[in-house]
Amino acid sequence: MTNPAGHNLPANAVAESHEGEFGCTLMDLRKLMELRAADAVAQISAHYGGVQEICARLKTSPIEGLSGNPIDLEKRRRVFGKNVIPPKKPKTFLELVWEALQDVTLIILEIAAIISLVLSFYRPPGGDNEICGHIASNPEEEEEGETGWIEGAAILASVIIVVFVTAFNDWSKEKQFRGLQSRIELEQKFSIIRNGQLIQLPVAEIVVGDIAQVKYGDLLPADGILIQGNDLKIDESSLTGESDHVKKTPDKDPMLLSGTHVMEGSGRMVVTAVGVNSQTGIIFTLLGASEEEDDDDKKKKAKTQDGVALEIQPLNSQEGLDSEEKEKKIIRVPKKEKSVLQGKLTRLAVQIGKAGLIMSVLTVVILILYFVVDNFVIQRRTWLPECTPVYIQYFVKFFIIGVTVLVVAVPEGLPLAVTISLAYSVKKMMKDNNLVRHLDACETMGNATAICSDKTGTLTMNRMTVVQAYVGNTHYRQIPKPDVLPPKVLELIVNGISINCAYTSKILPPEKEGGLPRQVGNKTECGLLGFVTDLKQDYQAVRNEVPEEKIFKVYTFNSVRKSMSTVIRKPEGGFRMFSKGASEIMLRKCDRILNKEGEIVPFRSKDRDNMVRNVIEPMASEGLRTICIAYRDFDGAEPSWENENEIVTSLICIAVVGIEDPVRPEVPEAIAKCKRAGITVRMVTGDNVNTARAIATKCGILTPGEDFLCLEGKEFNRLIRNEKGEVEQEKLDKIWPKLRVLARSSPTDKHTLVKGIIDSTVGDHRQVVAVTGDGTNDGPALKKADVGFAMGIAGTDVAKEASDIILTDDNFTSIVKAVMWGRNVYDSISKFLQFQLTVNVVAVIVAFTGACITQDSPLKAVQMLWVNLIMDTFASLALATEPPTDSLLRRRPYGRNKPLISRTMMKNILGHAVYQLVIVFLLVFAGDKMFDIDSGRKAPLNSPPSQHYTIVFNTFVLMQLFNEINSRKIHGEKNVFAGVYRNAIFCSVVLGTFFCQIMIVEVGGKPFSCTSLTMEQWMWCLFIGIGELLWGQVISAIPTKSLKFLKEAGHGSDKDEISRDAEGMEEIDLAEMELRRGQILWVRGLNRIQTQIRVVKVFHSFHEAIHKSKNHASIHTFMTPPEYAADEEVSQSFLDNQEEIPASVSNLGTSVLLLDGEAAPHDNTNNNSVDCQQVQIIASHPDSPLQNLETPV
């Protein structure tokens, strides 16, 4: 896939050099493809003598295609170019280094370091040190004073390291992203006829002269001229901006352009222009020629510090979209607003940044004031001109300390952690059959609260088989033998299926011996062709008799028609039309039917109702898709074929077949996992409502006895629209919470439902919706959804373009894996935040307090930068690559409003900060006495490093290192080492950091302001560091609820405030659960007694009511369950463990709290279990008014 040499030459030069090899040149074809409609038809017939003649000139056969000879293909690539648009040049490493240098904080540090360097070399002429203040206090330190440049140089070196690390991360991320895109490119294939065989060819291998088979849902990969078409309609909006679908026919408008979408129909085209010579390629070349795009890119990149899927609005409206998609989709079209996590992170980073800025300014101001007051007020020195450089040196030192506080405070490691976590997840998700197109979709999936899934292929195996048939007034529960059917009926069935199915659908022999035959093309059609094979007939023989060229007209299947019809000429004159489609729709168009003898008899509405009741509904209730096959003859004058409503009517029904598409065996468990994880799965299908209900029950989306809705598209629209036909959010809000199955739905219904759920403000949280889609018309719903999943196998190119993630195996279980990875990303970011904010709080307070009390930060600028490096790069690498565990699916989704930092995390951050601050201040102010060493406090400028401050620095870093292990758990778990061995990256980072720390302390010397320590001192540092792990156990034992003062941070949108109770209960706090187990036991016992008393009372009062009066009012009174407030007598801890509540309580309308404390959206109104029992008890009396009352299950 390299750029062919010919691309760099002028088109004429390429054409002239091979003039004689083909009957038309590259420029001829380019000019021809610029024409449209009538102009193009005139040019083709006038200059070329028709499309067939163009095929002859290009040395290709309109039916057989090219021979596939490698020499011929290579020659065509040389003359007409390859079907590749060269990708934009990636940024070089140096460009990325330059971009990393633009960081404002780093620029400030660089300036400060340079000033420090310059001033350290400048010696004031004859200035007396005593007069100017203490720079070096004794002669031995004079020499040390000469090495003042080291600190400035070390800061510069640290800055360079940070810049290179950032640049390297950006470079590897871009490389990975390009790899991802090229994989998407390689997976895009197209149907090409070579040597008479239809093959799936990678788009890059298509050459001029190839015969391409175009069908509904394709994204055209090259320009071409239509040879033969069936009801072909193209969406050319990506090139022209016109949204209307353009009808294509060989005689009126045969020009097909690359980058356009096939919205309806099918056909064959000869490829006339590829790569940079196609219409899309030409536009892209024009865009690439201007440097504006690159400049644009830089601006956009600078704005987006975090490397999360740069979603950028190109300046060139829609035109460049498809060309860029075809290139290497680096620039994304804006699909949605900022992702949930990005929004929260940005808000949090800004808050922390502001706090850091205030602290750093305060630090500098206090240091300068202290210095000025001490020197010029208390010691009454005068400002001498020769002392100015010395004073400036002091001020620069203060400035550097202030900037360092800011550097440590600003969590610039957040974008890095997000990028690493997402990149790692994306790589791993590929193995789980999730091809991620937009990086942020990975993280959004972790917040998903609802999944709207297709049925066919996602929940089912998409392997269609006809298992029942209704032919000649007989319902066959198994495939009938061919001799049972009248020959005429058999022939009609075989012809009706063989001709009226896309010729691209076929059944091939199994790949492995003993395997199932392979189904290629539309799976429903493959099921019907399999039915023909089961009847011991050969569909291919029929197709050879009636090749595609002989087909007169085709009304292709689309979501509105829900049927397909094919018209052929009869040998004796006139026309015959075969139709197939959804049975209830087709039967309404039938007015006659074939009986047992194969004779045509009338088919009245009464017969239709009987058939629906006795045949279609029983088939559908077994989960079968019902398809009706019919035909009609036109023997008189030729009708007006454009008037479809008059053509596809008055049909003769041949047969109705029941097609089974078995549920994937792994789906019920995956749906059960979703339910446990607090995700609602809804099925949106075009199938019959009974079929959909049966499949939904098999999958576990519906369970008997639940109060959920199954609606058809029509009923759904009636319920949610007003008189004007507009969708009302209020009406929709009453429907969607209970809706589980939407059958006979159109793509518009799907989009309406998705939009309605996303926009809804019902409940405590706004919903995050994932949608699956495979058809062209699913595009709007896929784009509107928070995460759109397209089918990799059955999906059309249009659906894939609109999606965020492509399921390479079309399997619902892969979506569940995506949820797990998404939640893992979220938790990884939270782990990193918990770790980084602890370091931030401690480092900032230490630097600030130390500076104010001792005029110097106990942690030097270079040391702070090393801590920053540990915090940012290494910690993000260690904590962002934790593999996911099944426990992630045992909690409910966080939702849009859940703060990034929960109260449990805040407890951990503050708890560890307290420990570290106490230790650091103890060492700073009493460490010299404890270890019997010289004090490092108030050391003069440029004095050598002290053992005292080296111990402070070393202990501080070791505490961070052990706290990194604590940070692996964010929900208060006790075992922080669980699964640590499965993460090799984490282990190597911790050990690597520890080794580097030893080197810095023992060898770092002056640049790191360190001096070597004794073994005893090392042991003490290590002991204090390990104390972090013990302290972590103490913190995790304290229940979060008892610490009322704790607040959360990093909220999502402020629109929907969560109620206080829900907020408190939302968190997983394992310490609390442990503490409460004892209480729960006796509370449960007490509760059971209370419940039994209540039930007895209710029955007693009801019995009295029955005896007093046998009116219906008392029954209604009873059927309405008594309301008990959740907090009335039932303790909170009891509710936490609601899974163990006896059925009698849970059905008495108590608002039961779920796992994470979120109140159930509705009280249990469908009290089937209790009601049924009560009905049985009371109905035993013959005179009971409840005798005839039944609760449907």
Side-chain angles (χ1 to χ4, degrees):
M1 286 178 65
T2 52
N3 186 8
H7 283 190
N8 301 326
L9 296 167
N12 293 331
V14 180
E16 281 161 19
S17 59
H18 300 280
E19 186 92 52
E21 296 187 28
F22 296 99
C24 41
T25 65
L26 175 63
M27 280 314 287
D28 291 341
L29 292 174
R30 268 182 75 156
K31 281 178 184 162
L32 176 62
M33 292 316 296
E34 282 167 12
L35 301 173
R36 301 282 177 273
D39 296 343
V41 175
Q43 179 77 357
I44 291 167
S45 55
H47 283 73
Y48 296 96
V51 181
Q52 303 293 332
E53 184 57 32
I54 290 179
C55 291
R57 289 193 187 194
L58 290 173
K59 299 178 181 175
T60 184
S61 157
I63 295 162
E64 298 283 313
L66 295 175
S67 63
N69 178 352
I71 299 164
D72 175 48
L73 296 177
E74 194 46 53
K75 189 198 289 181
R76 287 171 191 275
R77 288 194 188 101
R78 212 168 51 244
V79 178
F80 299 109
K82 291 183 180 178
N83 194 24
V84 174
I85 295 173
K88 194 150 64 196
K89 224 171 60 188
K91 285 190 176 145
T92 62
F93 186 71
L94 287 175
E95 282 179 301
L96 292 169
V97 167
W98 177 246
E99 275 178 10
L101 275 167
Q102 310 301 311
D103 188 292
V104 180
T105 330
L106 289 180
I107 291 170
I108 295 170
L109 264 182
E110 288 156 24
I111 294 167
I114 291 165
I115 294 171
S116 170
L117 267 175
V118 171
L119 290 174
S120 68
F121 288 121
Y122 176 71
R123 289 276 150 253
D128 183 13
N129 287 338
E130 280 305 314
I131 301 168
C132 301
H134 300 284
I135 291 186
S137 52
N138 57 46
E140 294 130 38
E141 287 170 8
E142 286 290 334
E143 180 183 339
E144 293 288 348
E146 299 295 321
T147 58
W149 60 274
I150 288 180
E151 186 166 26
I155 293 174
L156 271 184
S158 303
V159 166
I160 289 165
I161 290 169
V162 169
V163 164
F164 272 90
V165 166
T166 311
F168 177 75
N169 278 314
D170 281 349
W171 176 79
S172 58
K173 181 185 72 211
E174 194 161 307
K175 184 173 165 232
Q176 190 176 27
F177 201 62
R178 279 177 179 264
L180 192 70
Q181 299 306 340
S182 61
R183 175 167 167 184
I184 292 173
E185 290 291 310
L186 289 171
E187 288 202 345
Q188 195 187 353
K189 294 186 174 174
F190 206 77
S191 304
I192 300 290
I193 298 167
R194 290 237 176 121
N195 228 356
Q197 293 292 315
L198 186 70
I199 56 168
Q200 292 294 313
L201 200 67
V203 164
E205 290 178 31
I206 294 172
V207 294
V208 169
D210 260 325
I211 303 298
Q213 185 89 40
V214 298
K215 61 186 185 302
Y216 158 82
D218 282 341
L219 172 68
L220 297 183
D223 292 354
I225 299 171
L226 188 65
I227 300 171
Q228 173 264 326
N230 301 320
D231 200 23
L232 192 62
K233 286 182 185 164
I234 306 283
D235 175 8
E236 293 186 346
S237 58
S238 56
L239 288 178
T240 62
E242 295 293 327
S243 56
D244 292 343
H245 297 170
V246 183
K247 191 161 187 176
K248 297 286 180 181
T249 53
D251 53 345
K252 287 186 183 155
D253 185 0
M255 311 309 267
L256 300 176
L257 307 173
S258 58
T260 58
H261 297 132
V262 182
M263 301 310 283
E264 267 186 49
S266 61
R268 272 203 330 277
M269 75 170 186
V270 57
V271 175
T272 52
V274 293
V276 289
N277 298 307
S278 67
Q279 291 303 296
T280 301
I282 292 165
I283 289 172
F284 176 74
T285 313
L286 292 172
L287 290 173
S290 65
E291 285 301 311
E292 285 170 29
E293 220 179 40
D294 284 357
D295 297 345
D296 240 29
D297 241 49
K298 280 173 193 167
K299 285 177 203 162
K300 289 156 187 165
K301 177 80 180 181
K303 281 179 198 168
T304 320
Q305 276 197 340
D306 49 19
V308 182
L310 303 176
E311 299 212 328
I312 297 160
Q313 171 72 61
L315 295 173
N316 49 7
S317 72
Q318 189 70 24
E319 290 178 340
L321 170 60
D322 292 290
S323 55
E324 285 166 320
E325 285 289 4
K326 252 171 140 186
E327 162 221 10
K328 291 266 189 287
K329 310 169 179 83
I330 297 303
I331 298 180
R332 287 267 155 262
V333 181
K335 252 176 97 285
K336 332 181 161 79
E337 62 209 44
K338 207 180 253 188
S339 78
V340 180
L341 181 65
Q342 270 178 289
K344 291 178 182 179
L345 282 174
T346 309
R347 218 168 271 112
L348 189 69
V350 167
Q351 288 167 357
I352 296 169
K354 281 178 185 168
L357 190 64
I358 293 165
M359 291 297 276
S360 63
V361 169
L362 262 177
T363 308
V364 175
V365 168
I366 289 170
L367 282 171
I368 292 173
L369 281 175
Y370 196 101
F371 177 80
V372 170
V373 169
D374 184 45
N375 276 292
F376 305 118
V377 178
I378 297 170
Q379 297 186 28
R380 297 178 184 278
R381 285 203 181 95
T382 50
W383 186 297
L384 299 170
E386 61 267 26
C387 290
T388 303
V390 178
Y391 296 147
I392 289 175
Q393 234 176 319
Y394 267 110
F395 293 152
V396 167
K397 181 187 170 187
F398 300 152
F399 179 62
I400 287 176
I401 291 170
V403 171
T404 313
V405 169
L406 179 62
V407 170
V408 175
V410 173
E412 67 268 32
L414 268 182
L416 188 60
V418 175
T419 306
I420 290 175
S421 186
L422 288 174
Y424 172 75
S425 301
V426 165
K427 213 169 182 180
K428 295 286 184 187
M429 281 170 79
M430 273 191 178
K431 292 179 184 170
D432 285 339
N433 304 308
N434 283 287
L435 183 63
V436 181
R437 292 182 72 243
H438 300 119
L439 278 176
D440 61 341
C442 171
E443 149 263 310
T444 310
M445 201 53 219
N447 290 311
T449 55
I451 299 172
C452 294
S453 173
D454 279 351
K455 175 178 75 69
T456 307
T458 313
L459 300 172
T460 61
M461 291 172 78
N462 202 13
R463 186 172 179 86
M464 307 285 190
T465 322
V466 173
V467 289
Q468 293 186 26
Y470 179 82
V471 188
N473 294 339
T474 312
H475 187 172
Y476 297 97
R477 297 279 172 182
Q478 288 167 332
I479 302 293
K481 291 197 166 48
D483 49 12
V484 175
L485 305 174
K488 183 192 169 190
V489 175
L490 184 61
E491 187 192 349
L492 281 168
I493 288 174
V494 173
N495 288 350
I497 290 172
S498 307
I499 295 168
N500 190 31
C501 281
Y503 279 30
T504 48
S505 299
K506 50 181 80 156
I507 294 183
L508 300 178
E511 283 175 338
K512 292 174 188 166
E513 212 176 316
L516 292 165
R518 280 181 297 146
Q519 295 186 340
V520 177
N522 181 294
K523 295 296 188 282
T524 306
E525 292 184 339
C526 288
L528 292 169
L529 293 171
F531 178 49
V532 171
T533 314
D534 291 342
L535 291 170
K536 309 285 184 286
Q537 306 296 309
D538 182 11
Y539 69 85
Q540 196 54 52
V542 178
R543 287 181 171 182
N544 294 342
E545 248 179 73
V546 187
E548 239 176 321
E549 296 75 47
K550 285 193 184 175
I551 290 174
F552 183 76
K553 171 122 185 104
V554 178
Y555 299 97
T556 51
F557 179 89
N558 66 26
S559 57
V560 178
R561 287 190 187 120
K562 295 219 184 294
S563 68
M564 173 181 175
S565 305
T566 303
V567 182
I568 55 168
R569 286 183 190 274
K570 290 197 288 186
E572 66 273 15
F575 301 90
R576 173 165 285 176
M577 178 182 71
F578 291 108
S579 288
K580 69 171 192 297
S583 55
E584 61 265 46
I585 292 167
M586 290 295 292
L587 287 176
R588 281 202 292 273
K589 296 177 180 177
C590 292
D591 58 6
R592 287 160 294 166
I593 191 167
L594 297 178
N595 66 9
K596 277 181 188 172
E597 288 72 40
E599 295 161 353
I600 300 168
V601 294
F603 185 61
R604 300 180 191 84
S605 57
K606 185 179 71 175
D607 303 326
R608 186 184 305 121
D609 294 344
N610 283 339
M611 193 164 168
V612 167
R613 194 165 49 251
N614 300 326
V615 179
I616 291 169
E617 284 183 1
M619 281 186 186
S621 63
E622 290 175 40
L624 304 184
R625 170 181 282 188
T626 55
I627 302 284
C628 174
I629 303 161
Y631 79 103
R632 179 183 176 183
D633 286 333
F634 299 90
D635 293 322
E638 186 176 336
S640 164
W641 298 110
E642 295 308 309
N643 195 342
E644 190 187 327
N645 289 339
E646 285 182 19
I647 300 291
V648 188
T649 187
S650 304
L651 304 177
I652 302 162
C653 175
I654 306 169
V656 172
V657 294
I659 300 180
E660 182 181 46
D661 183 11
V663 171
R664 288 180 184 267
E666 62 275 23
V667 162
E669 165 139 14
I671 286 174
K673 276 185 183 173
C674 284
K675 284 185 173 178
R676 275 201 300 277
I679 301 167
T680 306
V681 181
R682 293 180 176 85
M683 181 202 284
V684 183
T685 177
D687 243 343
N688 174 310
V689 69
N690 295 323
T691 308
R693 189 186 282 118
I695 297 286
T697 307
K698 283 181 188 173
C699 292
I701 293 172
L702 292 175
T703 46
E706 283 184 334
D707 184 22
F708 290 135
L709 294 176
C710 278
L711 293 178
E712 280 197 336
K714 275 185 187 172
E715 179 67 6
F716 173 67
N717 279 301
R718 191 182 64 74
L719 291 169
I720 64 165
R721 292 179 189 273
N722 58 21
E723 301 78 42
K724 295 177 189 169
E726 296 160 345
V727 176
E728 283 192 5
Q729 187 67 43
E730 266 181 53
K731 289 187 172 185
L732 189 55
D733 284 346
K734 290 175 188 166
I735 300 295
W736 74 257
K738 287 192 173 188
L739 183 69
R740 289 296 176 273
V741 176
L742 185 57
R744 280 279 175 258
S745 65
S746 67
T748 318
D749 298 338
K750 192 176 196 174
H751 180 261
T752 306
L753 177 64
V754 171
K755 185 178 184 301
I757 296 176
I758 290 174
D759 295 346
S760 174
T761 51
V762 173
D764 287 336
H765 304 284
R766 276 179 61 210
Q767 299 280 309
V768 178
V769 183
V771 169
T772 70
D774 54 8
T776 301
N777 293 330
D778 286 331
L782 288 170
K783 282 208 165 191
K784 178 64 192 170
D786 293 290
V787 183
F789 285 90
M791 301 298 132
I793 302 166
T796 60
D797 293 339
V798 182
K800 290 175 190 174
E801 292 291 308
S803 70
D804 301 293
I805 298 176
I806 296 172
L807 295 179
T808 53
D809 63 345
D810 289 14
N811 196 334
F812 186 82
T813 48
S814 301
I815 300 175
V816 180
K817 286 173 185 165
V819 171
M820 200 153 83
W821 277 108
R823 291 186 174 192
N824 193 52
V825 168
Y826 211 93
D827 278 11
S828 296
I829 305 304
S830 294
K831 288 170 188 176
F832 173 73
L833 269 174
Q834 179 173 300
F835 172 69
Q836 190 179 38
L837 294 184
T838 309
V839 188
N840 278 8
V841 168
V842 176
V844 169
I845 292 174
V846 166
F848 176 71
T849 319
C852 297
I853 297 171
T854 66
Q855 286 79 65
D856 190 6
S857 170
L859 298 171
K860 301 293 180 283
V862 182
Q863 294 173 350
M864 288 263 207
L865 284 169
W866 164 238
V867 169
N868 218 22
L869 202 65
I870 299 176
M871 283 188 338
D872 288 357
T873 307
F874 297 155
S876 59
L877 198 62
L879 294 169
T881 54
E882 285 274 327
T885 58
D886 274 345
S887 62
L888 290 167
L889 291 176
R890 292 193 206 114
R891 65 163 172 78
R892 300 181 71 75
Y894 286 145
R896 291 178 190 268
N897 310 23
K898 166 79 179 173
L900 270 174
I901 301 166
S902 64
R903 290 174 64 205
T904 305
M905 284 169 63
M906 194 61 90
K907 173 185 78 176
N908 293 340
I909 291 168
L910 296 178
H912 287 292
V914 166
Y915 174 82
Q916 292 181 16
L917 285 171
V918 167
I919 295 291
V920 169
F921 285 133
L922 194 67
L923 289 175
V924 167
F925 296 108
D928 47 337
K929 296 184 185 69
M930 286 161 60
F931 290 102
D932 195 22
I933 47 177
D934 293 336
S935 169
R937 293 190 301 281
K938 299 203 178 183
L941 200 61
N942 298 329
S943 57
S946 63
Q947 268 193 332
H948 179 199
Y949 272 15
T950 304
I951 290 173
V952 173
F953 166 61
N954 196 29
T955 308
F956 180 73
V957 170
L958 290 177
M959 284 194 295
Q960 306 318 324
L961 212 53
F962 285 101
N963 191 32
E964 200 169 326
I965 299 170
N966 279 328
S967 298
R968 291 184 67 247
K969 304 294 173 193
I970 51 174
H971 296 307
E973 296 93 327
K974 291 273 188 218
N975 185 2
V976 291
F977 288 100
V980 74
Y981 307 113
R982 288 194 301 134
N983 190 354
I985 300 175
F986 183 87
C987 298
S988 47
V989 164
V990 170
L991 294 172
T993 311
F994 184 57
F995 179 73
C996 290
Q997 180 62 17
I998 294 172
M999 297 305 292
I1000 285 170
V1001 170
E1002 296 302 316
V1003 185
K1006 181 74 181 167
F1008 281 95
S1009 307
C1010 285
T1011 183
S1012 63
L1013 301 177
T1014 65
M1015 182 54 86
E1016 187 193 351
Q1017 288 165 344
W1018 263 105
M1019 283 298 123
W1020 273 107
C1021 294
L1022 206 58
F1023 172 73
I1024 294 167
I1026 292 169
E1028 261 290 0
L1029 292 174
L1030 302 172
W1031 182 247
Q1033 294 300 307
V1034 173
I1035 292 172
S1036 66
I1038 303 167
T1040 307
K1041 290 236 177 62
S1042 59
L1043 308 172
K1044 299 286 184 195
F1045 60 87
L1046 289 178
K1047 291 279 179 284
E1048 298 150 325
H1051 275 276
S1053 53
D1054 303 328
K1055 286 179 199 166
D1056 323 310
E1057 281 303 321
I1058 311 163
S1059 71
R1060 281 296 149 86
D1061 300 340
E1063 236 174 57
M1065 286 301 300
E1066 209 169 57
E1067 230 168 277
I1068 305 165
D1069 184 13
L1070 301 178
E1072 187 130 4
M1073 290 181 186
E1074 281 178 28
L1075 198 73
R1076 284 174 155 194
R1077 261 176 206 149
Q1079 300 171 0
I1080 289 162
L1081 286 170
W1082 67 263
V1083 171
R1084 199 179 293 137
L1086 179 68
N1087 252 320
R1088 281 193 177 143
I1089 295 165
Q1090 288 174 348
T1091 304
Q1092 285 159 6
I1093 292 166
R1094 283 178 183 172
V1095 172
V1096 169
K1097 277 182 183 171
V1098 169
F1099 269 103
H1100 190 69
S1101 60
F1102 176 74
H1103 210 66
E1104 282 177 8
I1106 290 280
H1107 282 293
K1108 278 178 192 167
S1109 105
K1110 292 180 182 178
N1111 63 3
H1112 283 276
S1114 60
I1115 296 165
H1116 292 309
T1117 315
F1118 171 65
M1119 294 302 268
T1120 309
E1123 290 294 333
Y1124 298 115
D1127 54 353
E1128 189 180 311
E1129 287 170 281
V1130 185
S1131 91
Q1132 198 65 50
S1133 53
F1134 167 61
L1135 292 170
D1136 282 346
N1137 287 263
Q1138 55 93 24
E1139 65 270 7
E1140 298 184 50
I1141 300 173
S1144 50
V1145 177
S1146 63
N1147 281 300
L1148 280 171
T1150 312
S1151 175
V1152 177
L1153 288 168
L1154 307 171
L1155 173 67
D1156 66 346
E1158 181 191 27
H1162 302 284
D1163 288 346
N1164 187 358
T1165 52
N1166 191 29
N1167 306 307
N1168 290 317
S1169 53
V1170 174
D1171 291 348
C1172 290
Q1173 290 160 10
Q1174 291 159 353
V1175 169
Q1176 285 161 11
I1177 295 162
I1178 297 148
S1180 55
H1181 303 290
D1183 59 341
S1184 166
L1186 286 182
Q1187 182 70 44
N1188 57 356
L1189 237 172
E1190 283 181 15
T1191 310
V1193 177

